[in-house]
Amino acid sequence: MVEVGAGGTHQARYEREIIWDSISTRLSVLDIGDASLVFGRLDWSDEQGGDQLYVGRVAVWDDDQEPVTIDWRAPAAEAFYRATGSEPMGLSRRRHFVTRGRELLGVEDEYFGETNGRGRMPLVGEAALRAGLESGRTGRLADAAATIQIEQDAIIRSPLSGLLVVQGGPGTGKTVAALHRAAYLLYTHRFPLEGQGMLVIGPNRLFLTYIEQVLPSLGEAGVEVSMLADLLPGTRVKGLDNPRISRIKGDLRMITVLRRARRDRQRPLRADVTVGFGLRRLRLTVDQSAEIVRQARKRFRTHNRARRFVEEQVYQHLADSGARTDSPAPDMEAVRERLHGSIELREALEWMWPVLTPSHLLHDLFGSPALLRSAARSVLTSEETDLLYRSRQPHASEVVWTADDAPLLDEALALLGPRPGHKLSDSIRTYGHIVVDEAQDLSPMQLRMISRRSLNGSMTVVGDIAQATSAWGHDSWDSVIEHLPDHVALRFSELTIGYRLPEPIMDVAAKVLDAAMPGLVPPQSIRIEGRPPRFVPVIAHQAPASGNGQGSGQGSVEDSEPGPSSLTAAVVGEVKAELSALANGNLAVICHNELADAISEALTVADVDHGLVYERGLESRVTIVPVELVKGLEVDTAIVVEPADICEKLPKGMRALYVAMTRATQRLVVVYARPLPEPLLTKET
């Protein structure tokens, strides 16, 4: 019990606060919610002493300071994840407790020296793993400390230093591995990472909501989890630009454009400035102002830092101009004190060298065709320059920027530097380690923004080249790596085993992958059993009959009363059928963004409770998810609507279809009114 009362010495109050902070931190670590504390046991061989160790989410000691359980991240726990029949690591037996919450469902023992004979990498705790995979999704990603597999553990425990790139197909657990790696690194390298900070970057707000419980459940609540736009405090960001504009804004040519835009705001006067000072007239000439600007550019790397120099030079030249044959020049500080509030001087300084924020610089640039042409000359084409134009708002602070503007604002912040008196708020924070998920979609400017925040080049970059669907989606990791720190050691790891998708669904998705990126090998699914995808064609003025969702092939259709369009009516029918077949868990309707509102309206009319993903995340049992936002998520049942629209209306449509086809852990339905893309054509369809 820590009591903080009135009075006492400052030292006593300070010590109480330190004790309270330590207790609060420890309590937050011990708060694991409804998850089981212990999920495994290690039995060491006689040669290793024959001892037993229990492995759990946090370490617990008894009154004699003997370990009751060890933390899953401790060196002694490594054998729990890495030991195999050929490399037992000193174990005679590994025990897994299969649990649901705090309920013990079963016990699984592995005795070393046996082989599984399946010709593939052995699974660690197979029963516990399969129980977790087959349980219903909750709409939030859960920690997997109890079921981490060998190749995932190798990534998690990889050294801190350098750049680690992780390639992993759908369902291979790359996001899980990245988040558990963040927790492991903080546990293993508490000093210095606790002081330097750790940053986890996700692609969008929905994804952050989906993963937000993982690190706290592992006892690490101090990690900053954010989108790139969140790294710019005080800036409102919403939505994306169209692919053509996004492509321009993500190009490294924008660095030159922004540098020129900054230079265009550093200007000599257009006419001499004359101000009264008592009986004297003080003057700053155009030539003097040009020399001040030239010297400021030469001496200072950032724009705002030079403002004080420019002011001093302006006042010094004004003071010097007041010298007379019969009297010396007035003191510069006296001139500053008397004239600093005059309109003439304020206008002159704002013209020559204004104090700028990134928002002001970009707002002025994008809102002025003349400034755009000046900054983009010989760098961008006339068409590209025109695409960047956007009408001005009355105030820069009222502008709502897009996600594609974020790296430009960050580049501007690096060029401008902190404003006078705002050094702390305008500074760019760096981190001891950065984890980046879905990195395959990041533009060169976005990757540059991330690199700027790396203190020492220590980063974990995770993604899947096959799922690169943005305007800047990369075709290889080489084009990603070239924009990341190059002064550190580079390591590459690949996750090859798919845990999420049943093999029948993966087989169909693999055909889409082969069309999107020929030669790329899909993950090997461990779940051999499973239902094959159902393909449901929609005929005009018809909708599917309600059923139990047990059919296969093309599905069944029958005449319906006039109402919603045939496609949306078919989707409603399939949602009802799949809900009746789905014991628990969730269902996602995945479609092109243009169909989302129509499908939502049809479900509302049919009295089907549902949510839109950008309003409620995956909290509803039925959620409509535009394919642009579905990457990184998993659901029990996925209904993919109109694949032809997805392929034709997105920059990398076939890859986007591959993403949509690989979200389901149990059941996949494809509803279509237009001809299917070639990879999905089968004898049944």
Side-chain angles (χ1 to χ4, degrees):
M1 182 69 178
V2 178
E3 296 182 355
V4 181
T9 65
H10 174 76
Q11 177 69 19
R13 292 194 298 272
Y14 177 75
E15 290 175 356
R16 286 197 295 267
E17 290 298 325
I18 293 295
I19 295 171
W20 173 250
D21 183 64
S22 299
I23 293 174
S24 299
T25 301
R26 181 59 179 163
L27 287 174
S28 67
V29 169
L30 294 175
D31 184 9
I32 59 174
D34 292 330
S36 58
L37 171 62
V38 178
F39 49 75
R41 191 183 79 187
L42 298 174
D43 292 5
W44 301 99
S45 63
D46 292 340
E47 292 79 3
Q48 299 295 323
D51 294 332
Q52 294 179 342
L53 281 177
Y54 286 90
V55 182
R57 285 177 167 78
V58 294
V60 179
W61 298 269
D62 61 19
D63 292 340
D64 297 324
Q65 296 301 302
E66 292 295 326
V68 177
T69 69
I70 60 171
D71 193 293
W72 66 275
R73 296 166 290 186
E78 185 174 353
F80 185 76
Y81 301 106
R82 297 284 192 93
T84 64
S86 58
E87 292 290 341
M89 299 179 70
L91 294 183
S92 63
R93 176 171 59 181
R94 174 170 52 202
R95 170 167 289 181
H96 290 264
F97 301 108
V98 184
T99 62
R100 181 184 294 117
R102 299 188 180 186
E103 179 184 0
L104 180 63
L105 302 180
V107 176
E108 178 188 15
D109 283 339
E110 296 173 82
Y111 293 90
F112 289 89
E114 299 177 357
T115 59
N116 60 20
R118 290 177 297 181
R120 61 178 68 183
M121 184 176 289
L123 298 178
V124 177
E126 187 165 350
L129 175 63
R130 292 187 182 277
L133 293 172
E134 293 168 6
S135 62
R137 307 299 101 180
T138 64
R140 301 291 178 92
L141 185 64
D143 77 75
T147 57
I148 291 169
Q149 299 300 300
I150 293 173
E151 62 179 10
Q152 294 172 329
D153 191 66
I155 290 167
I156 291 169
R157 297 176 192 268
S158 183
L160 169 66
S161 62
L163 174 61
L164 174 64
V165 178
V166 180
Q167 160 69 30
T172 55
K174 55 184 176 294
T175 297
V176 166
L179 294 174
H180 285 68
R181 172 165 169 76
Y184 169 80
L185 290 177
L186 277 170
Y187 175 88
T188 308
H189 305 278
R190 186 69 63 184
F191 177 82
L193 284 182
E194 195 166 55
Q196 295 174 345
M198 179 176 287
L199 174 65
V200 174
I201 297 175
N204 53 55
R205 188 73 57 204
L206 170 63
F207 184 84
L208 299 187
T209 302
Y210 179 64
I211 68 170
E212 66 182 358
Q213 295 178 349
V214 176
L215 286 169
S217 73
L218 295 172
E220 300 296 348
V223 180
E224 185 172 343
V225 181
S226 69
M227 299 163 45
L228 284 178
D230 297 334
L231 303 177
L232 301 169
T235 304
R236 293 189 297 165
V237 175
K238 183 179 181 181
L240 298 167
D241 286 301
N242 70 56
R244 292 181 66 195
I245 297 176
S246 176
R247 186 80 186 176
I248 299 168
K249 291 181 177 179
D251 198 300
L252 292 181
R253 292 178 296 165
M254 290 302 298
I255 300 172
T256 302
V257 172
L258 293 175
R259 285 175 177 169
R260 288 180 176 177
R262 177 187 65 172
R263 188 180 180 88
D264 286 342
R265 304 302 297 275
Q266 302 165 352
R267 304 163 290 195
L269 296 172
R270 293 175 291 183
D272 295 352
V273 172
T274 303
V275 293
F277 186 76
L279 298 177
R280 308 186 195 199
R281 302 292 290 175
L282 307 182
R283 175 176 294 179
L284 176 68
T285 68
V286 172
D287 289 343
Q288 289 171 337
S289 70
E291 179 61 19
I292 293 172
V293 169
R294 189 184 72 82
Q295 289 292 330
R297 287 173 177 168
K298 181 179 178 180
R299 295 187 182 195
F300 297 92
R301 186 179 64 85
T302 57
H303 174 88
N304 288 329
R305 189 180 175 193
R307 169 64 180 232
R308 186 175 182 86
F309 170 81
V310 172
E311 289 181 0
E312 289 177 348
Q313 291 297 303
V314 165
Y315 287 117
Q316 187 63 61
H317 279 83
L318 286 171
D320 292 345
S321 71
R324 299 290 183 268
T325 56
D326 57 344
S327 63
D331 180 68
M332 189 263 285
E333 290 301 326
V335 173
R336 179 201 295 272
E337 184 177 351
R338 186 177 299 186
L339 298 181
H340 79 278
S342 69
I343 294 177
E344 296 90 345
L345 262 295
R346 288 168 58 188
E347 289 179 345
L349 287 169
E350 287 304 303
W351 175 264
M352 290 176 59
W353 207 279
V355 174
L356 293 171
T357 66
S359 292
H360 283 123
L361 181 66
L362 253 66
H363 185 234
D364 291 344
L365 175 65
F366 290 165
S368 169
L371 288 175
L372 271 173
R373 286 194 297 270
S374 174
R377 67 188 185 281
S378 74
V379 177
L380 304 179
T381 65
S382 298
E383 182 183 5
E384 289 173 326
T385 304
D386 292 340
L387 286 172
L388 290 178
Y389 174 79
R390 57 187 289 176
S391 58
R392 289 175 55 85
Q393 299 294 324
H395 302 286
S397 59
E398 298 175 358
V399 177
V400 178
W401 302 95
T402 68
D404 298 300
D405 289 321
L408 302 183
L409 292 165
D410 192 67
E411 189 71 29
L413 179 58
L415 292 170
L416 297 174
R419 293 165 293 166
H422 295 79
K423 184 175 181 179
L424 184 61
S425 61
D426 289 353
S427 295
I428 296 175
R429 183 185 172 183
T430 57
Y431 297 84
H433 190 80
I434 300 177
V435 177
V436 186
D437 207 344
E438 304 296 350
Q440 74 279 350
D441 278 323
L442 297 175
S443 72
M445 289 298 291
Q446 289 171 324
L447 292 167
R448 181 178 171 88
M449 179 179 179
I450 294 170
S451 296
R452 190 176 286 122
R453 279 159 177 78
S454 178
L455 179 64
N456 49 25
S458 177
M459 300 174 69
T460 302
V461 176
V462 178
D464 179 15
I465 292 298
Q467 297 184 63
T469 59
S470 73
W472 269 102
H474 296 266
D475 293 326
S476 75
W477 282 109
D478 290 341
S479 61
V480 176
I481 294 167
E482 67 176 306
H483 304 296
L484 295 173
D486 59 1
H487 61 280
V488 295
L490 172 65
R491 305 188 303 281
F492 186 86
S493 294
E494 185 172 7
L495 294 168
T496 60
I497 301 176
Y499 305 100
R500 177 172 68 224
L501 272 70
E503 193 168 275
I505 295 179
M506 189 68 245
D507 288 345
V508 176
K511 297 176 182 177
V512 179
L513 173 62
D514 187 57
M517 297 198 71
L520 199 65
V521 179
Q524 180 183 27
S525 178
I526 66 163
R527 301 174 63 195
I528 300 174
E529 302 82 9
R531 297 177 181 275
R534 289 197 305 112
F535 291 86
V536 181
V538 179
I539 302 174
H541 309 302
Q542 294 185 338
S546 18
N548 59 10
Q550 304 298 316
S552 61
Q554 66 178 10
S556 58
V557 294
E558 64 179 23
D559 293 338
S560 65
E561 295 296 326
S565 72
S566 302
L567 181 63
T568 55
V571 172
V572 170
E574 291 303 322
V575 168
K576 290 181 176 179
E578 288 298 322
L579 284 176
S580 67
L582 187 64
N584 53 45
N586 57 8
L587 179 154
V589 179
I590 304 171
C591 60
H592 187 270
N593 188 52
E594 293 176 357
L595 285 173
D597 289 340
I599 293 173
S600 177
E601 182 179 350
L603 289 172
T604 301
V605 171
D607 199 28
V608 176
D609 185 40
H610 68 284
L612 293 168
V613 73
Y614 39 77
E615 294 177 354
R616 297 165 57 182
L618 294 176
E619 295 178 1
S620 303
R621 194 176 184 211
V622 177
T623 306
I624 299 172
V625 188
V627 69
E628 297 90 332
L629 296 177
V630 78
K631 193 177 301 175
L633 308 182
E634 63 178 36
V635 294
D636 293 288
T637 299
I639 299 178
V640 178
V641 182
E642 206 61 278
D645 280 0
I646 294 173
C647 288
E648 293 174 9
K649 296 180 180 180
L650 293 174
K652 292 180 171 58
M654 193 62 72
R655 296 191 199 180
L657 179 59
Y658 176 63
V659 172
M661 298 284 291
T662 53
R663 299 303 102 194
T665 64
Q666 296 183 33
R667 302 164 69 91
L668 172 64
V669 180
V670 179
V671 181
Y672 62 100
R674 300 178 58 198
L676 286 171
E678 177 67 25
L680 295 183
L681 293 177
T682 64
K683 291 180 180 180
E684 288 79 11
T685 59

